[in-house]
Amino acid sequence: MARTLGRYDSLVTFVESQTWLLPTLARLIFTGVLSLYFFNSGLTKLGDGFLGILAPSTGAYVQIFPRAFEAVGYDTDGLGLFHDLIVLGGTLAEFALPMLIIIGLFTRFAAIGMIGFVVLQSLTDVIGHGQTGVLGAWFDRFPDAAILDQRAFWVFVLLTLAVKGGGPLSLDRLIVARTR
């Protein structure tokens, strides 16, 4: 038994010393599982033309401010500068924050921004769009609820990046190495 525990302890010590593993896998999982989700969601918010990112579509307002947009008869002129800035910022964030995580630049900052984005997205889905049927519940036997279950895993991956950084294969690491 002592020999088995000794081997187990050696293995655990080795795995714990591999500080590159967790942040590298977290960025890989984010890239493979979530990046296209956010990019495609951002594409639905773009206005017409080359500078469509600076003039979001009416769909962006429907997605981000469903109740307020309905209240003004789906007329973007009925909303104020506050709404315009939030929609513009949200649209830009859906492109910029995932890209920063993918390349590993300002990874911690981008991951914290994405956590905030996911929380606001979830609140908008539940409160603004009334999607309580997909809310789910923790500690039930169903692990596939779109909001509480899935987004908890999203936040966990992002929290890993916020705590551990981008890992050795990141621009963060390259920049820090060059400045020393």
Side-chain angles (χ1 to χ4, degrees), residues 10-21:
S10 296
L11 178 63
V12 168
T13 301
F14 172 75
V15 170
E16 286 177 347
S17 72
Q18 305 305 306
T19 57
W20 62 272
L21 187 61

PDB file of all heavy atoms in Angstrom, residues 10-21:
ATOM      1  N   SER A  10       3.928  10.659  -6.379  1.00  0.00           N
ATOM      2  CA  SER A  10       4.876  11.078  -7.416  1.00  0.00           C
ATOM      3  C   SER A  10       4.150  11.561  -8.667  1.00  0.00           C
ATOM      4  O   SER A  10       4.525  12.569  -9.262  1.00  0.00           O
ATOM      5  CB  SER A  10       5.814   9.929  -7.784  1.00  0.00           C
ATOM      6  OG  SER A  10       6.614   9.578  -6.684  1.00  0.00           O
ATOM      7  N   LEU A  11       3.127  10.826  -9.062  1.00  0.00           N
ATOM      8  CA  LEU A  11       2.353  11.206 -10.238  1.00  0.00           C
ATOM      9  C   LEU A  11       1.651  12.544 -10.020  1.00  0.00           C
ATOM     10  O   LEU A  11       1.682  13.426 -10.885  1.00  0.00           O
ATOM     11  CB  LEU A  11       1.335  10.118 -10.580  1.00  0.00           C
ATOM     12  CG  LEU A  11       0.419  10.400 -11.773  1.00  0.00           C
ATOM     13  CD1 LEU A  11       1.230  10.524 -13.057  1.00  0.00           C
ATOM     14  CD2 LEU A  11      -0.634   9.323 -11.902  1.00  0.00           C
ATOM     15  N   VAL A  12       1.038  12.717  -8.866  1.00  0.00           N
ATOM     16  CA  VAL A  12       0.339  13.967  -8.551  1.00  0.00           C
ATOM     17  C   VAL A  12       1.321  15.128  -8.522  1.00  0.00           C
ATOM     18  O   VAL A  12       1.054  16.207  -9.065  1.00  0.00           O
ATOM     19  CB  VAL A  12      -0.433  13.851  -7.221  1.00  0.00           C
ATOM     20  CG1 VAL A  12      -0.917  15.203  -6.731  1.00  0.00           C
ATOM     21  CG2 VAL A  12      -1.598  12.881  -7.366  1.00  0.00           C
ATOM     22  N   THR A  13       2.471  14.943  -7.923  1.00  0.00           N
ATOM     23  CA  THR A  13       3.493  15.983  -7.863  1.00  0.00           C
ATOM     24  C   THR A  13       3.937  16.384  -9.269  1.00  0.00           C
ATOM     25  O   THR A  13       4.089  17.570  -9.572  1.00  0.00           O
ATOM     26  CB  THR A  13       4.699  15.512  -7.030  1.00  0.00           C
ATOM     27  OG1 THR A  13       4.239  15.195  -5.713  1.00  0.00           O
ATOM     28  CG2 THR A  13       5.764  16.576  -6.958  1.00  0.00           C
ATOM     29  N   PHE A  14       4.128  15.391 -10.146  1.00  0.00           N
ATOM     30  CA  PHE A  14       4.522  15.670 -11.521  1.00  0.00           C
ATOM     31  C   PHE A  14       3.440  16.460 -12.254  1.00  0.00           C
ATOM     32  O   PHE A  14       3.727  17.467 -12.906  1.00  0.00           O
ATOM     33  CB  PHE A  14       4.822  14.368 -12.281  1.00  0.00           C
ATOM     34  CG  PHE A  14       5.052  14.581 -13.740  1.00  0.00           C
ATOM     35  CD1 PHE A  14       6.248  15.125 -14.195  1.00  0.00           C
ATOM     36  CD2 PHE A  14       4.072  14.262 -14.665  1.00  0.00           C
ATOM     37  CE1 PHE A  14       6.456  15.350 -15.547  1.00  0.00           C
ATOM     38  CE2 PHE A  14       4.265  14.477 -16.021  1.00  0.00           C
ATOM     39  CZ  PHE A  14       5.470  15.023 -16.465  1.00  0.00           C
ATOM     40  N   VAL A  15       2.195  16.027 -12.138  1.00  0.00           N
ATOM     41  CA  VAL A  15       1.099  16.709 -12.838  1.00  0.00           C
ATOM     42  C   VAL A  15       0.954  18.142 -12.316  1.00  0.00           C
ATOM     43  O   VAL A  15       0.767  19.076 -13.099  1.00  0.00           O
ATOM     44  CB  VAL A  15      -0.226  15.919 -12.708  1.00  0.00           C
ATOM     45  CG1 VAL A  15      -1.404  16.727 -13.216  1.00  0.00           C
ATOM     46  CG2 VAL A  15      -0.130  14.593 -13.439  1.00  0.00           C
ATOM     47  N   GLU A  16       1.058  18.327 -11.009  1.00  0.00           N
ATOM     48  CA  GLU A  16       0.937  19.671 -10.441  1.00  0.00           C
ATOM     49  C   GLU A  16       2.066  20.587 -10.899  1.00  0.00           C
ATOM     50  O   GLU A  16       1.886  21.797 -10.972  1.00  0.00           O
ATOM     51  CB  GLU A  16       0.917  19.602  -8.917  1.00  0.00           C
ATOM     52  CG  GLU A  16      -0.392  19.094  -8.359  1.00  0.00           C
ATOM     53  CD  GLU A  16      -0.379  18.969  -6.844  1.00  0.00           C
ATOM     54  OE1 GLU A  16       0.721  19.036  -6.226  1.00  0.00           O
ATOM     55  OE2 GLU A  16      -1.454  18.798  -6.265  1.00  0.00           O
ATOM     56  N   SER A  17       3.204  20.037 -11.223  1.00  0.00           N
ATOM     57  CA  SER A  17       4.331  20.859 -11.664  1.00  0.00           C
ATOM     58  C   SER A  17       4.194  21.308 -13.113  1.00  0.00           C
ATOM     59  O   SER A  17       4.939  22.171 -13.566  1.00  0.00           O
ATOM     60  CB  SER A  17       5.646  20.098 -11.476  1.00  0.00           C
ATOM     61  OG  SER A  17       5.749  19.049 -12.430  1.00  0.00           O
ATOM     62  N   GLN A  18       3.258  20.746 -13.840  1.00  0.00           N
ATOM     63  CA  GLN A  18       3.053  21.103 -15.251  1.00  0.00           C
ATOM     64  C   GLN A  18       2.134  22.329 -15.336  1.00  0.00           C
ATOM     65  O   GLN A  18       0.977  22.234 -15.708  1.00  0.00           O
ATOM     66  CB  GLN A  18       2.464  19.918 -16.027  1.00  0.00           C
ATOM     67  CG  GLN A  18       3.259  18.641 -15.925  1.00  0.00           C
ATOM     68  CD  GLN A  18       4.714  18.836 -16.334  1.00  0.00           C
ATOM     69  OE1 GLN A  18       5.000  19.328 -17.413  1.00  0.00           O
ATOM     70  NE2 GLN A  18       5.624  18.461 -15.454  1.00  0.00           N
ATOM     71  N   THR A  19       2.679  23.492 -15.025  1.00  0.00           N
ATOM     72  CA  THR A  19       1.871  24.712 -14.957  1.00  0.00           C
ATOM     73  C   THR A  19       1.357  25.168 -16.322  1.00  0.00           C
ATOM     74  O   THR A  19       0.442  25.975 -16.391  1.00  0.00           O
ATOM     75  CB  THR A  19       2.675  25.850 -14.312  1.00  0.00           C
ATOM     76  OG1 THR A  19       3.880  26.045 -15.069  1.00  0.00           O
ATOM     77  CG2 THR A  19       3.029  25.516 -12.868  1.00  0.00           C
ATOM     78  N   TRP A  20       1.914  24.663 -17.381  1.00  0.00           N
ATOM     79  CA  TRP A  20       1.482  25.025 -18.729  1.00  0.00           C
ATOM     80  C   TRP A  20       0.182  24.331 -19.138  1.00  0.00           C
ATOM     81  O   TRP A  20      -0.540  24.812 -20.005  1.00  0.00           O
ATOM     82  CB  TRP A  20       2.567  24.647 -19.743  1.00  0.00           C
ATOM     83  CG  TRP A  20       2.822  23.154 -19.768  1.00  0.00           C
ATOM     84  CD1 TRP A  20       3.691  22.452 -18.975  1.00  0.00           C
ATOM     85  CD2 TRP A  20       2.159  22.192 -20.583  1.00  0.00           C
ATOM     86  NE1 TRP A  20       3.613  21.115 -19.260  1.00  0.00           N
ATOM     87  CE2 TRP A  20       2.681  20.922 -20.244  1.00  0.00           C
ATOM     88  CE3 TRP A  20       1.179  22.266 -21.558  1.00  0.00           C
ATOM     89  CZ2 TRP A  20       2.251  19.751 -20.849  1.00  0.00           C
ATOM     90  CZ3 TRP A  20       0.756  21.093 -22.160  1.00  0.00           C
ATOM     91  CH2 TRP A  20       1.297  19.847 -21.812  1.00  0.00           C
ATOM     92  N   LEU A  21      -0.128  23.215 -18.505  1.00  0.00           N
ATOM     93  CA  LEU A  21      -1.200  22.344 -18.971  1.00  0.00           C
ATOM     94  C   LEU A  21      -2.587  22.996 -18.888  1.00  0.00           C
ATOM     95  O   LEU A  21      -3.318  23.053 -19.880  1.00  0.00           O
ATOM     96  CB  LEU A  21      -1.176  21.032 -18.181  1.00  0.00           C
ATOM     97  CG  LEU A  21      -2.123  19.944 -18.633  1.00  0.00           C
ATOM     98  CD1 LEU A  21      -1.826  19.518 -20.057  1.00  0.00           C
ATOM     99  CD2 LEU A  21      -2.024  18.737 -17.700  1.00  0.00           C
TER     100      LEU A  21
END
